Amino acid sequence: MTRLLLATRNAKKLAELRRILERAGVSGVAVVGLADVPEFPEAPETGATFEENALAKARDAAKATGLPAVADDSGLAVDALNGMPGVLSARWAGRHGDDRANLELVLGQLADVPDERRGAAFVCAAALVTPSGAETVVRGEWRGTLTREPRGTHGFGYDPIFVPEGETRTSAELTPEEKDAASHRGRALRALLPCLEELTI
Amino acid sequence: MTRLLLATRNAKKLAELRRILERAGVSGVAVVGLADVPEFPEAPETGATFEENALAKARDAAKATGLPAVADDSGLAVDALNGMPGVLSARWAGRHGDDRANLELVLGQLADVPDERRGAAFVCAAALVTPSGAETVVRGEWRGTLTREPRGTHGFGYDPIFVPEGETRTSAELTPEEKDAASHRGRALRALLPCLEELTI
């Protein structure tokens, strides 16, 4: 069975990635996370684009493990913030990974921004790098608008303030299956499927 | 003597505006600040551009007082933040007017951004609206780079983290006269001078 490395230490993101691949019917692949590769040195994300960061992470992981590696870089692109937090989504409030502080900061920054200018998109770049050096990067986007208060307990990151187009619930109020079917990460990973299937041939 | 209203409640900005106009030799004009018009209702700045906000403030002030009014809207446009904080500069950390929190947040957001991508510009839009309804808006820009630590005690806002092109000091380490000669606000106000001089004819 081919082993595939999902290059993330974020447990919730890992669960989401696994779930999307399983639901897509990717078979013959055993998914391992970075937590299973404790010696792996994690480089800071310094790229200017989601694609650059996803590729860099997948390259590092493939090189360090000899396994085909999938990495994603994703974030929230807010219209009234000229597309930011963007690649800085995880450290928007100034330090890494404080979801609550990050989303509260966006709400504070947008306090005076009227409803008609509260559009945003979740963006995900997903990269696959094989040990032989084959590289693929794809992008998924999910448009919506931002609330004025967080709602919902599912998901992670900015999910509690993002209402997808065609929805009244936030993405933190969707079931995991509903989210995967529409989300930026679901779209990006499904776009990688043809390449993932080649690995198992 | 013509009275001219400088529509700001920010005492440091008012001092800077007065100083620039005096040094430019604008004569026959008595400058009053918004603090002298306590009943003036200040509208939130909800525009998407500096120009929109400056015009809105100058219009409101001219209408409320019957005086010709100058207003500015200014901020820091950081390349690695796609031009933000921009019009949200004063409330970047989530509440209005906390200079220290705002600049610390920018430094935190840019912690992993390498030196070659730390470019920024101070931008100022200045608007003049006369009681007869004549409107003029101009823009001044001041390019530079961002430090990793604040330095200097002059100025206000993001001055302690901004090193203007051709300088090694931050704009908070320049004398007020040096700052005025080069700054975004100095440039914008000097571009308004021909219109201001017409007021006194």
Side-chain angles (χ1 to χ4, degrees), chain B residues 17 20-21 33 67 73 84 106 114 191 199:
Chain B
L17 290 163
I20 293 168
L21 291 182
L67 296 176
D73 192 45
M84 300 307 292
V106 168
L199 294 177

Side-chain angles (χ1 to χ4, degrees), chain A residues 44-48 80-84 88 91-94 105 108-114 117, chain B residues 44-48 80-84 88 91-94 105 108-114 117:
Chain A
E45 296 173 1
T46 59
L81 300 176
N82 291 351
M84 302 304 295
L88 302 178
R91 63 169 308 130
W92 194 236
L105 177 58
Q109 290 168 328
L110 268 58
D112 289 338
V113 173
R117 290 203 291 112
Chain B
E45 297 172 0
T46 59
L81 300 175
N82 291 352
M84 300 307 292
L88 301 179
R91 63 169 309 131
W92 194 235
L105 176 58
Q109 289 169 328
L110 267 58
D112 289 337
V113 173
R117 291 204 290 113

Side-chain angles (χ1 to χ4, degrees), chain B residues 5 7 34 40-41 43 51-72 126-137:
Chain B
L5 180 69
L34 266 191
F40 179 72
E51 283 80 356
E52 262 181 80
N53 285 330
L55 255 181
K57 279 190 275 188
R59 275 181 197 141
D60 286 354
K63 191 172 170 191
T65 63
L67 296 176
V70 168
D72 94 315
L128 169 66
V129 174
T130 69
S132 66
E135 298 187 338
T136 312
V137 199

